[in-house]
Amino acid sequence: MAILFARSRNLVSILRQNLGLSTILTRRDFSPRPFVFTASQLYSTAFVGPVSSHRHESTAAEIHPGFVQQSDEEDVQELEFPGGKIGYTSEMKFIPESSSRRIPCYRVLNEDGQIIPDSVFIPVSEKLAVRMYEQMATLQVMDHIFYEAQRQGRISFYLTSVGEEAINIASAAALSPDDVVLPQYREPGVLLWRGFTLEEFANQCFGNRADYGKGRQMPIHYGSNRHNYFTISSPIATQLPQAAGVGYSLKMEKKNACAVTFIGDGGTSEGDFHAGLNFAAVMEAPVVFICRNNGWAISTHISEQFRSDGIVVKGQAYGIRSIRVDGNDALAVYSAVRSAREMAVTEQRPVLIEAMTYRVGHHSTSDDSTKYREADEIQYWKMSRNPVNRFRKWVEDNGWWSEDDESKLRSNTRKQLLQAIQAAEKWEKQPLTELFNDVYDVKPKNLEEQEIGLKELVEKQPQDYPPGFHV
Amino acid sequence: MSATIHGAATALSTFNSVDSKKLISPCRTNLPARSKRCIVAGSDASKRSGSRLRVGHSQKLIPNAVATKADTSVTTGTGHELLLFEALQEGLEEEMDRDPHVCVMGEDVGHYGGSYKVTKGLADKFGDLRVLDTPICENAFTGMGIGAAMTGLRPVIEGMNMGFLLLAFNQISNNCGMLHYTSGGQFTIPVVIRGPGGVGRQLGAEHSQRLESYFQSIPGIQMVACSTPYNAKGLMKAAIRSENPVILFEHVLLYNLKESIPDEEYICNLEEAEMVRPGEHITILTYSRMRYHVMQAAKTLVNKGYDPEVIDIRSLKPFDLYTIGNSVKKTHRVLIVEECMRTGGIGASLTAAINENFNDYLDAPVMCLSSQDVPTPYAGTLEEWTVVQPAQIVTAVEQLCQ
């Protein structure tokens, strides 16, 4: 992929400087130089080129354990320990719990939708920018209409992504269709970008006969193998080790693709977050971890979730390259995810992106966030820090979008959604057989029995079952 | 998918599916071609809506549900002798040779060869990416296996001890068992989760867990327990080829069992029980290590004039109620011998299933011998009392046969 240059700065040279991207397989500074490289170690790296040789370095026999070596250049004394040489000091210094300055976040557009001078970013064509904006607006309309539908009692549950449209769409735009996405639950925009239709979204929410999940999951738990979007599973963070597994699978098959997985700020407290990152790092798996730090985990503010400087600092603890990005800046998210994806695939390593944002909506339709946060705070983020408006300003300033386009898009999308909901509502639900299918690949005897038993029951007393309930 | 008849007595006569014996017709063809054909046959068989029996894989090979005595070879070939852990390794290696998607992951499975040497030599042969040493986090590497499986690989996940897989319960229950269902069949999870469990020799409570009782409720998974080198290899191969997630329970004390197994390729049906010793007076149902305690008790019982029928149920989920039912109809007395705790164990479920389905055929209440509801103590004498001993089995049989 050709990395294009923006403005007067050379993106590649910046990256080269900061990250040593010039050689694809950059040796880390603290990787131990093996004293002994046995034939079996060389042989067993046959599967994936030189990258996997790194995995053996730390297990290579050290000839002189405990031997204090002194290099000729400086008077630095180092000790041998498992894992490599470590310099020592007689000064007792504790690493502070936090650094004096928080890690800055990467941003390209200012709040008025103007490119910040001297920014480094991957340029976006008119076609791409317009598509991105359209999808962000569509996501907004979709969230609004489905939320209302839930309030009207037409669907049982919904979860909005209000305030996080830039993360949803810009990250999706930066990926290739072969990249496997393991979402948490606030990323329907990724599926939307990949071509899931509004009708398909509605069908899943209504759990009707056309739902690909066959009515077995709650609303918003979308999944589509055609779009490489794994079915959402409610428990938090379970997708992170699975993403390491997907990365491992892609690495084994040497595919030009990576795993991309999303998590919220609250989800990073789960054990699976730490294990998933650690595993991906040790396996050298091509995984991009995107953390949507939106400030709230239902009613738990991030100050009660962790004491670190957000999530980006945790990457280094696992040996993972990380970046903090302004999640409400679509261009920044696009550049960061695109670069991260390239790094993950070409260098076969995981990358962590912390996207700072704000959860404007309630956690879900089962939540009323005004109970635990100020209405002013919500208003502020909704109006002044709105990612959709910000990107819209930039697109409009470029002459690629107009007021007319805006009203047409919103009214068309709204119409389409209302029609989709009406159709999905009318569509019949799954028959009884779908209760017992797909538990295994082929129905076992006990399930067949249970199905027959239930069928008989329903046929005997149809008045006890809701109308339209069919076997 | 189980080649069994499950249901009340009347259903048996009307059941018109293929007799399981007929299905196990040996098919001797060249090995490589046979393997290829097997995959196709398997997938076709499962797609045929009329087929209630998922025996596609076993149709072309020589599945042997009825075990012969441990020391006789089942085919005309000479066979070769090996230990149970070697049989597992052989099965795993053959499957890894046959299908490049099969991979192994777990703690110390690579160059160390696994804590019980089941994966010995595999890392040297297949590389350390395909036989993956993972950091210590059971939930994570199980989750990793699930993610890899959803993307097309066939991972064999090893828990160093079954007890540690309790940490992976979330991934096993909420994802492994469920994702095929909740995704509407879009994603399959053909993983094998295996490891040693059961009461060993003074390993302490945490290393003596019987996880089959905790996992038996999880919908979407299958559970099998191996007990001999023959069925260990056969079940390992069948589990790897299965499209469903399968949990293969091995026992810490059985790894060094020696037996001669066929040279030819074979697999064991995942849903079938094994007839260890046909008899007339009483049906003894058991699995894993208790099979050997039962056989030891059987020797004593034979001397005393009893004729017990011993069945190694092998398939813990779902139960092979066809074989079990036929036996109950013959003997009318059932004794279940297991290593699980009394409460909520496999025996408890099996008792309920037998009572529900074969109540009319029982001359005496189903008796179940299990471990007590206590954590397994370390002290040797105490530990011995938590495991069902042959003497207890003899007494129970005598009691039931009065």
PDB file of all heavy atoms in Angstrom, chain B residues 292-319:
ATOM      1  N   TYR B 292     -12.002 -49.723  35.441  1.00  0.00           N
ATOM      2  CA  TYR B 292     -11.041 -50.729  35.909  1.00  0.00           C
ATOM      3  C   TYR B 292     -11.398 -51.231  37.287  1.00  0.00           C
ATOM      4  O   TYR B 292     -11.234 -52.422  37.582  1.00  0.00           O
ATOM      5  CB  TYR B 292      -9.619 -50.149  35.836  1.00  0.00           C
ATOM      6  CG  TYR B 292      -9.253 -49.858  34.404  1.00  0.00           C
ATOM      7  CD1 TYR B 292      -9.431 -48.594  33.873  1.00  0.00           C
ATOM      8  CD2 TYR B 292      -8.814 -50.889  33.566  1.00  0.00           C
ATOM      9  CE1 TYR B 292      -9.158 -48.358  32.538  1.00  0.00           C
ATOM     10  CE2 TYR B 292      -8.543 -50.655  32.248  1.00  0.00           C
ATOM     11  CZ  TYR B 292      -8.722 -49.390  31.732  1.00  0.00           C
ATOM     12  OH  TYR B 292      -8.463 -49.164  30.412  1.00  0.00           O
ATOM     13  N   HIS B 293     -11.917 -50.361  38.134  1.00  0.00           N
ATOM     14  CA  HIS B 293     -12.394 -50.832  39.437  1.00  0.00           C
ATOM     15  C   HIS B 293     -13.546 -51.792  39.248  1.00  0.00           C
ATOM     16  O   HIS B 293     -13.673 -52.806  39.938  1.00  0.00           O
ATOM     17  CB  HIS B 293     -12.814 -49.633  40.303  1.00  0.00           C
ATOM     18  CG  HIS B 293     -11.648 -48.932  40.908  1.00  0.00           C
ATOM     19  ND1 HIS B 293     -11.756 -48.180  42.072  1.00  0.00           N
ATOM     20  CD2 HIS B 293     -10.347 -48.871  40.549  1.00  0.00           C
ATOM     21  CE1 HIS B 293     -10.577 -47.690  42.377  1.00  0.00           C
ATOM     22  NE2 HIS B 293      -9.702 -48.092  41.477  1.00  0.00           N
ATOM     23  N   VAL B 294     -14.409 -51.477  38.274  1.00  0.00           N
ATOM     24  CA  VAL B 294     -15.563 -52.346  38.019  1.00  0.00           C
ATOM     25  C   VAL B 294     -15.094 -53.701  37.500  1.00  0.00           C
ATOM     26  O   VAL B 294     -15.592 -54.747  37.919  1.00  0.00           O
ATOM     27  CB  VAL B 294     -16.530 -51.668  37.024  1.00  0.00           C
ATOM     28  CG1 VAL B 294     -17.562 -52.653  36.516  1.00  0.00           C
ATOM     29  CG2 VAL B 294     -17.218 -50.493  37.677  1.00  0.00           C
ATOM     30  N   MET B 295     -14.141 -53.687  36.592  1.00  0.00           N
ATOM     31  CA  MET B 295     -13.665 -54.960  36.035  1.00  0.00           C
ATOM     32  C   MET B 295     -12.987 -55.800  37.099  1.00  0.00           C
ATOM     33  O   MET B 295     -13.094 -57.032  37.100  1.00  0.00           O
ATOM     34  CB  MET B 295     -12.704 -54.708  34.861  1.00  0.00           C
ATOM     35  CG  MET B 295     -13.396 -54.189  33.616  1.00  0.00           C
ATOM     36  SD  MET B 295     -14.854 -55.133  33.188  1.00  0.00           S
ATOM     37  CE  MET B 295     -14.140 -56.649  32.591  1.00  0.00           C
ATOM     38  N   GLN B 296     -12.322 -55.115  38.012  1.00  0.00           N
ATOM     39  CA  GLN B 296     -11.699 -55.848  39.110  1.00  0.00           C
ATOM     40  C   GLN B 296     -12.776 -56.484  39.985  1.00  0.00           C
ATOM     41  O   GLN B 296     -12.693 -57.659  40.372  1.00  0.00           O
ATOM     42  CB  GLN B 296     -10.860 -54.879  39.937  1.00  0.00           C
ATOM     43  CG  GLN B 296      -9.704 -55.542  40.645  1.00  0.00           C
ATOM     44  CD  GLN B 296      -8.899 -54.518  41.401  1.00  0.00           C
ATOM     45  OE1 GLN B 296      -8.732 -53.384  40.970  1.00  0.00           O
ATOM     46  NE2 GLN B 296      -8.408 -54.909  42.556  1.00  0.00           N
ATOM     47  N   ALA B 297     -13.803 -55.697  40.269  1.00  0.00           N
ATOM     48  CA  ALA B 297     -14.919 -56.237  41.051  1.00  0.00           C
ATOM     49  C   ALA B 297     -15.604 -57.352  40.278  1.00  0.00           C
ATOM     50  O   ALA B 297     -16.076 -58.340  40.878  1.00  0.00           O
ATOM     51  CB  ALA B 297     -15.908 -55.115  41.366  1.00  0.00           C
ATOM     52  N   ALA B 298     -15.643 -57.221  38.963  1.00  0.00           N
ATOM     53  CA  ALA B 298     -16.307 -58.241  38.140  1.00  0.00           C
ATOM     54  C   ALA B 298     -15.632 -59.604  38.302  1.00  0.00           C
ATOM     55  O   ALA B 298     -16.300 -60.644  38.335  1.00  0.00           O
ATOM     56  CB  ALA B 298     -16.288 -57.812  36.677  1.00  0.00           C
ATOM     57  N   LYS B 299     -14.313 -59.556  38.426  1.00  0.00           N
ATOM     58  CA  LYS B 299     -13.589 -60.836  38.619  1.00  0.00           C
ATOM     59  C   LYS B 299     -14.092 -61.525  39.877  1.00  0.00           C
ATOM     60  O   LYS B 299     -14.409 -62.719  39.878  1.00  0.00           O
ATOM     61  CB  LYS B 299     -12.100 -60.560  38.764  1.00  0.00           C
ATOM     62  CG  LYS B 299     -11.364 -60.532  37.472  1.00  0.00           C
ATOM     63  CD  LYS B 299      -9.846 -60.711  37.669  1.00  0.00           C
ATOM     64  CE  LYS B 299      -9.135 -59.952  36.555  1.00  0.00           C
ATOM     65  NZ  LYS B 299      -8.156 -59.007  36.971  1.00  0.00           N
ATOM     66  N   THR B 300     -14.174 -60.722  40.941  1.00  0.00           N
ATOM     67  CA  THR B 300     -14.653 -61.288  42.204  1.00  0.00           C
ATOM     68  C   THR B 300     -16.081 -61.782  42.070  1.00  0.00           C
ATOM     69  O   THR B 300     -16.464 -62.853  42.552  1.00  0.00           O
ATOM     70  CB  THR B 300     -14.597 -60.211  43.306  1.00  0.00           C
ATOM     71  OG1 THR B 300     -13.361 -59.533  43.223  1.00  0.00           O
ATOM     72  CG2 THR B 300     -14.780 -60.823  44.676  1.00  0.00           C
ATOM     73  N   LEU B 301     -16.887 -60.978  41.354  1.00  0.00           N
ATOM     74  CA  LEU B 301     -18.295 -61.334  41.228  1.00  0.00           C
ATOM     75  C   LEU B 301     -18.473 -62.624  40.443  1.00  0.00           C
ATOM     76  O   LEU B 301     -19.327 -63.458  40.773  1.00  0.00           O
ATOM     77  CB  LEU B 301     -19.048 -60.191  40.536  1.00  0.00           C
ATOM     78  CG  LEU B 301     -19.268 -58.956  41.401  1.00  0.00           C
ATOM     79  CD1 LEU B 301     -19.719 -57.782  40.549  1.00  0.00           C
ATOM     80  CD2 LEU B 301     -20.286 -59.247  42.487  1.00  0.00           C
ATOM     81  N   VAL B 302     -17.662 -62.785  39.405  1.00  0.00           N
ATOM     82  CA  VAL B 302     -17.766 -64.000  38.586  1.00  0.00           C
ATOM     83  C   VAL B 302     -17.458 -65.206  39.457  1.00  0.00           C
ATOM     84  O   VAL B 302     -18.139 -66.236  39.393  1.00  0.00           O
ATOM     85  CB  VAL B 302     -16.824 -63.906  37.370  1.00  0.00           C
ATOM     86  CG1 VAL B 302     -16.643 -65.260  36.727  1.00  0.00           C
ATOM     87  CG2 VAL B 302     -17.383 -62.920  36.372  1.00  0.00           C
ATOM     88  N   ASN B 303     -16.430 -65.047  40.298  1.00  0.00           N
ATOM     89  CA  ASN B 303     -16.091 -66.151  41.204  1.00  0.00           C
ATOM     90  C   ASN B 303     -17.232 -66.462  42.142  1.00  0.00           C
ATOM     91  O   ASN B 303     -17.403 -67.606  42.571  1.00  0.00           O
ATOM     92  CB  ASN B 303     -14.838 -65.801  42.009  1.00  0.00           C
ATOM     93  CG  ASN B 303     -13.592 -65.846  41.149  1.00  0.00           C
ATOM     94  OD1 ASN B 303     -13.595 -66.492  40.102  1.00  0.00           O
ATOM     95  ND2 ASN B 303     -12.547 -65.167  41.575  1.00  0.00           N
ATOM     96  N   LYS B 304     -18.000 -65.419  42.460  1.00  0.00           N
ATOM     97  CA  LYS B 304     -19.112 -65.659  43.382  1.00  0.00           C
ATOM     98  C   LYS B 304     -20.354 -66.106  42.647  1.00  0.00           C
ATOM     99  O   LYS B 304     -21.400 -66.296  43.268  1.00  0.00           O
ATOM    100  CB  LYS B 304     -19.415 -64.367  44.148  1.00  0.00           C
ATOM    101  CG  LYS B 304     -18.331 -63.990  45.112  1.00  0.00           C
ATOM    102  CD  LYS B 304     -18.801 -62.913  46.074  1.00  0.00           C
ATOM    103  CE  LYS B 304     -17.730 -62.652  47.110  1.00  0.00           C
ATOM    104  NZ  LYS B 304     -18.163 -61.682  48.109  1.00  0.00           N
ATOM    105  N   GLY B 305     -20.243 -66.223  41.346  1.00  0.00           N
ATOM    106  CA  GLY B 305     -21.370 -66.760  40.597  1.00  0.00           C
ATOM    107  C   GLY B 305     -22.265 -65.723  39.942  1.00  0.00           C
ATOM    108  O   GLY B 305     -23.321 -66.052  39.416  1.00  0.00           O
ATOM    109  N   TYR B 306     -21.866 -64.451  39.950  1.00  0.00           N
ATOM    110  CA  TYR B 306     -22.686 -63.438  39.289  1.00  0.00           C
ATOM    111  C   TYR B 306     -22.201 -63.229  37.863  1.00  0.00           C
ATOM    112  O   TYR B 306     -21.069 -63.567  37.522  1.00  0.00           O
ATOM    113  CB  TYR B 306     -22.595 -62.109  40.044  1.00  0.00           C
ATOM    114  CG  TYR B 306     -23.192 -62.151  41.415  1.00  0.00           C
ATOM    115  CD1 TYR B 306     -22.397 -62.365  42.531  1.00  0.00           C
ATOM    116  CD2 TYR B 306     -24.568 -61.971  41.599  1.00  0.00           C
ATOM    117  CE1 TYR B 306     -22.949 -62.394  43.791  1.00  0.00           C
ATOM    118  CE2 TYR B 306     -25.118 -61.999  42.853  1.00  0.00           C
ATOM    119  CZ  TYR B 306     -24.317 -62.212  43.951  1.00  0.00           C
ATOM    120  OH  TYR B 306     -24.854 -62.228  45.197  1.00  0.00           O
ATOM    121  N   ASP B 307     -23.057 -62.687  37.018  1.00  0.00           N
ATOM    122  CA  ASP B 307     -22.678 -62.435  35.627  1.00  0.00           C
ATOM    123  C   ASP B 307     -22.988 -60.972  35.294  1.00  0.00           C
ATOM    124  O   ASP B 307     -24.035 -60.653  34.741  1.00  0.00           O
ATOM    125  CB  ASP B 307     -23.480 -63.369  34.712  1.00  0.00           C
ATOM    126  CG  ASP B 307     -23.015 -63.276  33.261  1.00  0.00           C
ATOM    127  OD1 ASP B 307     -21.882 -62.789  33.033  1.00  0.00           O
ATOM    128  OD2 ASP B 307     -23.776 -63.661  32.369  1.00  0.00           O
ATOM    129  N   PRO B 308     -22.087 -60.078  35.665  1.00  0.00           N
ATOM    130  CA  PRO B 308     -22.399 -58.662  35.429  1.00  0.00           C
ATOM    131  C   PRO B 308     -22.143 -58.268  33.986  1.00  0.00           C
ATOM    132  O   PRO B 308     -21.216 -58.757  33.349  1.00  0.00           O
ATOM    133  CB  PRO B 308     -21.414 -57.936  36.358  1.00  0.00           C
ATOM    134  CG  PRO B 308     -20.263 -58.868  36.500  1.00  0.00           C
ATOM    135  CD  PRO B 308     -20.783 -60.261  36.331  1.00  0.00           C
ATOM    136  N   GLU B 309     -22.972 -57.360  33.488  1.00  0.00           N
ATOM    137  CA  GLU B 309     -22.730 -56.779  32.166  1.00  0.00           C
ATOM    138  C   GLU B 309     -22.136 -55.398  32.400  1.00  0.00           C
ATOM    139  O   GLU B 309     -22.747 -54.563  33.066  1.00  0.00           O
ATOM    140  CB  GLU B 309     -24.036 -56.661  31.375  1.00  0.00           C
ATOM    141  CG  GLU B 309     -23.847 -55.992  30.013  1.00  0.00           C
ATOM    142  CD  GLU B 309     -24.939 -56.378  29.026  1.00  0.00           C
ATOM    143  OE1 GLU B 309     -24.969 -57.546  28.601  1.00  0.00           O
ATOM    144  OE2 GLU B 309     -25.760 -55.516  28.687  1.00  0.00           O
ATOM    145  N   VAL B 310     -20.920 -55.211  31.905  1.00  0.00           N
ATOM    146  CA  VAL B 310     -20.238 -53.943  32.166  1.00  0.00           C
ATOM    147  C   VAL B 310     -20.223 -53.104  30.907  1.00  0.00           C
ATOM    148  O   VAL B 310     -19.781 -53.550  29.853  1.00  0.00           O
ATOM    149  CB  VAL B 310     -18.787 -54.192  32.645  1.00  0.00           C
ATOM    150  CG1 VAL B 310     -18.085 -52.872  32.916  1.00  0.00           C
ATOM    151  CG2 VAL B 310     -18.795 -55.068  33.887  1.00  0.00           C
ATOM    152  N   ILE B 311     -20.722 -51.892  31.025  1.00  0.00           N
ATOM    153  CA  ILE B 311     -20.727 -50.970  29.885  1.00  0.00           C
ATOM    154  C   ILE B 311     -19.957 -49.709  30.267  1.00  0.00           C
ATOM    155  O   ILE B 311     -20.243 -49.086  31.287  1.00  0.00           O
ATOM    156  CB  ILE B 311     -22.176 -50.581  29.507  1.00  0.00           C
ATOM    157  CG1 ILE B 311     -22.936 -51.806  29.030  1.00  0.00           C
ATOM    158  CG2 ILE B 311     -22.175 -49.506  28.425  1.00  0.00           C
ATOM    159  CD1 ILE B 311     -24.372 -51.523  28.665  1.00  0.00           C
ATOM    160  N   ASP B 312     -18.993 -49.373  29.421  1.00  0.00           N
ATOM    161  CA  ASP B 312     -18.267 -48.111  29.598  1.00  0.00           C
ATOM    162  C   ASP B 312     -19.040 -47.078  28.776  1.00  0.00           C
ATOM    163  O   ASP B 312     -19.041 -47.141  27.550  1.00  0.00           O
ATOM    164  CB  ASP B 312     -16.838 -48.283  29.067  1.00  0.00           C
ATOM    165  CG  ASP B 312     -15.994 -47.028  29.212  1.00  0.00           C
ATOM    166  OD1 ASP B 312     -16.551 -45.921  29.369  1.00  0.00           O
ATOM    167  OD2 ASP B 312     -14.766 -47.153  29.173  1.00  0.00           O
ATOM    168  N   ILE B 313     -19.730 -46.167  29.443  1.00  0.00           N
ATOM    169  CA  ILE B 313     -20.659 -45.309  28.692  1.00  0.00           C
ATOM    170  C   ILE B 313     -19.957 -44.357  27.721  1.00  0.00           C
ATOM    171  O   ILE B 313     -20.532 -43.929  26.738  1.00  0.00           O
ATOM    172  CB  ILE B 313     -21.600 -44.495  29.612  1.00  0.00           C
ATOM    173  CG1 ILE B 313     -20.819 -43.578  30.547  1.00  0.00           C
ATOM    174  CG2 ILE B 313     -22.519 -45.415  30.379  1.00  0.00           C
ATOM    175  CD1 ILE B 313     -21.733 -42.649  31.327  1.00  0.00           C
ATOM    176  N   ARG B 314     -18.713 -44.047  27.983  1.00  0.00           N
ATOM    177  CA  ARG B 314     -17.869 -43.235  27.076  1.00  0.00           C
ATOM    178  C   ARG B 314     -18.456 -41.886  26.685  1.00  0.00           C
ATOM    179  O   ARG B 314     -17.801 -40.890  26.744  1.00  0.00           O
ATOM    180  CB  ARG B 314     -17.563 -44.038  25.806  1.00  0.00           C
ATOM    181  CG  ARG B 314     -16.109 -44.390  25.706  1.00  0.00           C
ATOM    182  CD  ARG B 314     -15.764 -45.353  24.667  1.00  0.00           C
ATOM    183  NE  ARG B 314     -16.393 -45.117  23.382  1.00  0.00           N
ATOM    184  CZ  ARG B 314     -16.219 -45.902  22.338  1.00  0.00           C
ATOM    185  NH1 ARG B 314     -15.449 -46.972  22.441  1.00  0.00           N
ATOM    186  NH2 ARG B 314     -16.807 -45.675  21.207  1.00  0.00           N
ATOM    187  N   SER B 315     -19.674 -41.886  26.213  1.00  0.00           N
ATOM    188  CA  SER B 315     -20.272 -40.617  25.806  1.00  0.00           C
ATOM    189  C   SER B 315     -21.046 -40.056  26.984  1.00  0.00           C
ATOM    190  O   SER B 315     -22.072 -40.582  27.390  1.00  0.00           O
ATOM    191  CB  SER B 315     -21.214 -40.840  24.615  1.00  0.00           C
ATOM    192  OG  SER B 315     -21.921 -39.652  24.356  1.00  0.00           O
ATOM    193  N   LEU B 316     -20.518 -38.971  27.569  1.00  0.00           N
ATOM    194  CA  LEU B 316     -21.153 -38.398  28.751  1.00  0.00           C
ATOM    195  C   LEU B 316     -22.242 -37.402  28.404  1.00  0.00           C
ATOM    196  O   LEU B 316     -23.076 -37.053  29.219  1.00  0.00           O
ATOM    197  CB  LEU B 316     -20.083 -37.720  29.620  1.00  0.00           C
ATOM    198  CG  LEU B 316     -18.895 -38.606  30.006  1.00  0.00           C
ATOM    199  CD1 LEU B 316     -17.895 -37.813  30.813  1.00  0.00           C
ATOM    200  CD2 LEU B 316     -19.380 -39.805  30.798  1.00  0.00           C
ATOM    201  N   LYS B 317     -22.172 -36.881  27.210  1.00  0.00           N
ATOM    202  CA  LYS B 317     -23.221 -35.964  26.750  1.00  0.00           C
ATOM    203  C   LYS B 317     -23.228 -36.024  25.250  1.00  0.00           C
ATOM    204  O   LYS B 317     -22.291 -35.560  24.627  1.00  0.00           O
ATOM    205  CB  LYS B 317     -22.909 -34.541  27.205  1.00  0.00           C
ATOM    206  CG  LYS B 317     -23.999 -33.522  26.841  1.00  0.00           C
ATOM    207  CD  LYS B 317     -23.595 -32.136  27.332  1.00  0.00           C
ATOM    208  CE  LYS B 317     -24.501 -31.054  26.783  1.00  0.00           C
ATOM    209  NZ  LYS B 317     -25.764 -30.910  27.505  1.00  0.00           N
ATOM    210  N   PRO B 318     -24.203 -36.615  24.613  1.00  0.00           N
ATOM    211  CA  PRO B 318     -25.399 -37.239  25.163  1.00  0.00           C
ATOM    212  C   PRO B 318     -25.154 -38.693  25.575  1.00  0.00           C
ATOM    213  O   PRO B 318     -24.212 -39.312  25.094  1.00  0.00           O
ATOM    214  CB  PRO B 318     -26.356 -37.193  23.971  1.00  0.00           C
ATOM    215  CG  PRO B 318     -25.475 -37.293  22.783  1.00  0.00           C
ATOM    216  CD  PRO B 318     -24.169 -36.649  23.149  1.00  0.00           C
ATOM    217  N   PHE B 319     -25.976 -39.210  26.436  1.00  0.00           N
ATOM    218  CA  PHE B 319     -25.842 -40.607  26.848  1.00  0.00           C
ATOM    219  C   PHE B 319     -26.287 -41.528  25.712  1.00  0.00           C
ATOM    220  O   PHE B 319     -27.217 -41.206  24.989  1.00  0.00           O
ATOM    221  CB  PHE B 319     -26.728 -40.902  28.063  1.00  0.00           C
ATOM    222  CG  PHE B 319     -26.296 -40.191  29.311  1.00  0.00           C
ATOM    223  CD1 PHE B 319     -27.199 -39.472  30.066  1.00  0.00           C
ATOM    224  CD2 PHE B 319     -24.979 -40.239  29.742  1.00  0.00           C
ATOM    225  CE1 PHE B 319     -26.805 -38.806  31.228  1.00  0.00           C
ATOM    226  CE2 PHE B 319     -24.576 -39.579  30.900  1.00  0.00           C
ATOM    227  CZ  PHE B 319     -25.490 -38.864  31.643  1.00  0.00           C
TER     228      PHE B 319
END
